[in-house]
């Protein structure tokens, strides 16, 4: 096993290969087309092919074909094995250096306490999908969560089709606005318990680590803003996005947060993305 871990560390020591692995980890559990990775990281396809080949050979990513595209997924188990090696084997049981991480790996970190949780939904423009998610979670379980949304490059105004859908569903839209994610990274910002990206472009971007080590997941879905056609067809795309996000929110609010340890909870929110993505793939396509 030591040879395998050393091989993986050698592969990840290259900045380019590490950037690819980081992106795939942020997009987990998505299977991401190689072309999208190349565009997001501004890497030549031939160079990316070399990086992905090395990552695959080291067991850090898995590959599958869908039509003419090759799709790649980060192998989280491989990342965990690296951490186990570094903190269990190399530390030789030193509790001052290893107990928090190695204990979490073996036994699961403590369950969350019974309190309100801070949740942030991130998209690029913060004009539709993340606004839907914020509004839905507040409506479904606002007594358990303090909910926020933000964009990495927020629009100046919320999308009118998104507002139309929310009003038609009976939601109060008076307090909604587009916000930059920087509002939630300062010293006075609330410490997040959960951070969800709901668009691929936002997940592809490098962001600093969040204070408080929140549970994070990627709930990517098609962008209704890109829907073409008549106003009725565009409105339908927003209705479908709203419905797909509502499925995810209902699954999230049904989780027994107070009884799940953090590792189990991380798996649960990842599974929501995987299961809901399979169920609503046709529904949300625009």
């Amino acid at each position: 096993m030591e040879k395998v871990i050393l091989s993986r560390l050698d592969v990840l020591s290259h900045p380019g290969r590490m950037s690819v692995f980081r992106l795939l980890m942020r997009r987990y559990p998505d299977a991401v087309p190689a072309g999208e990775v190349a565009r997001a990281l501004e890497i030549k396809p031939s160079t990316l092919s070399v990086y992905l080949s090395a990552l695959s050979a080291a067991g850090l990513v898995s590959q599958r074909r869908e039509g003419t595209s090759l799709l790649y997924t980060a192998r989280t188990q491989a990342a965990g094995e690296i951490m186990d090696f570094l903190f269990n084997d190399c530390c030789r049981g030193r509790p001052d250096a290893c107990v928090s991480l190695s204990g979490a790996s073996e036994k699961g970190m403590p369950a969350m306490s019974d309190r309100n949780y801070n949740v942030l939904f991130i998209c690029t423009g913060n004009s539709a999908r993340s606004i839907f998610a914020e509004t839905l979670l507040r409506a479904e379980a606002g007594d358990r969560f303090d909910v926020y949304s933000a964009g990495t490059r927020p629009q100046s105004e919320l999308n009118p089709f998104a507002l139309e859908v929310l009003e038609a569903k009976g939601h109060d839209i008076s307090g909604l606005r587009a916000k930059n994610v920087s509002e939630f990274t300062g010293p006075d910002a609330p410490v997040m318990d959960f951070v969800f990206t709901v668009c691929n472009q936002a997940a592809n971007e490098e962001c600093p680590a969040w204070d408080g080590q929140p549970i994070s997941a990627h709930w990517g879905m098609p962008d209704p803003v890109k829907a073409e056609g008549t106003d009725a067809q565009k409105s339908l795309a927003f209705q479908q996005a709203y419905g797909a996000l509502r499925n995810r929110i209902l699954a999230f609010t049904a989780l027994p947060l107070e009884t799940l340890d953090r590792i189990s909870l991380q798996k649960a929110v990842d599974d929501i993305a995987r299961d809901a993505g399979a169920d609503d793939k046709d529904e949300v396509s625009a």
Side-chain angles (χ1 to χ4, degrees):
M1 188 62 183
E2 181 172 342
K3 289 183 178 180
V4 173
I5 297 300
L6 292 177
S7 173
R8 290 173 180 171
L9 290 172
D10 182 55
V11 169
L12 293 176
S13 68
H14 185 280
R17 295 191 292 260
M18 174 61 88
S19 68
V20 173
F21 185 67
R22 281 202 300 260
L23 184 149
L24 293 175
M25 285 292 290
R26 293 194 300 273
R27 288 288 300 275
Y28 184 84
D30 280 2
V32 186
E36 183 177 343
V37 176
R39 289 190 297 273
L41 298 177
E42 298 182 344
I43 298 174
K44 293 180 180 180
S46 57
T47 302
L48 177 64
S49 179
V50 174
Y51 293 167
L52 288 169
S53 178
L55 290 165
S56 297
L60 291 163
V61 304
S62 60
Q63 169 192 300
R64 66 178 173 85
R65 182 175 292 277
E66 187 172 286
T68 59
S69 297
L70 288 175
L71 309 181
Y72 293 87
T73 305
R75 291 190 65 247
T76 56
Q77 179 181 348
E81 288 168 354
I82 292 174
M83 297 298 291
D84 283 346
F85 175 79
L86 292 175
F87 290 100
N88 294 332
D89 187 279
C90 293
C91 287
R92 297 296 181 185
R94 284 177 54 103
D96 58 326
C98 308
V99 67
S100 61
L101 287 174
S102 61
S105 175
E106 294 174 1
K107 302 175 183 177
M109 296 173 70
M112 291 189 147
S113 59
D114 183 8
R115 58 176 174 78
N116 271 35
Y117 306 104
N118 291 326
V119 182
L120 176 64
F121 295 99
I122 300 176
C123 200
T124 305
N126 192 211
S127 69
R129 286 165 291 180
S130 53
I131 291 292
F132 280 166
E134 174 189 358
T135 304
L136 280 163
L137 182 55
R138 187 175 291 125
E140 295 295 338
D143 57 332
R144 297 172 60 203
F145 301 95
D146 294 318
V147 195
Y148 311 89
S149 70
T152 56
R153 291 187 293 278
Q155 301 291 325
S156 57
E157 297 180 354
L158 302 185
N159 186 281
F161 286 102
L163 294 178
E164 182 181 282
V165 169
L166 290 174
E167 285 188 304
K169 300 293 185 182
H171 295 289
D172 179 11
I173 65 171
S174 60
L176 298 175
R177 64 182 179 90
K179 303 166 290 296
N180 193 293
V181 71
S182 62
E183 290 190 24
F184 300 96
T185 58
D188 298 326
V191 177
M192 295 300 162
D193 297 294
F194 298 90
V195 177
F196 299 106
T197 49
V198 292
C199 75
N200 294 343
Q201 187 173 344
N204 288 345
E205 297 179 12
E206 285 277 8
C207 293
W210 292 93
D211 290 339
Q213 295 182 322
I215 290 174
S216 61
H218 178 54
W219 289 356
M221 55 185 303
D223 186 358
V225 175
K226 295 181 179 179
E228 299 179 348
T230 65
D231 282 355
Q233 290 170 319
K234 293 177 181 178
S235 180
L236 178 60
F238 282 86
Q239 294 273 0
Q240 291 171 332
Y242 175 94
L245 278 166
R246 186 170 184 271
N247 291 340
R248 290 165 166 80
I249 295 299
L250 291 176
F252 176 61
T253 58
L255 295 176
L257 303 183
E258 297 82 7
T259 62
L260 291 176
D261 63 61
R262 288 179 60 92
I263 292 176
S264 299
L265 188 51
Q266 180 67 65
K267 181 180 184 302
V269 296
D270 286 339
D271 286 345
I272 288 173
R274 184 184 295 107
D275 297 341
D279 291 342
D280 60 35
K281 183 177 181 181
D282 293 333
E283 178 185 355
V284 301
S285 60

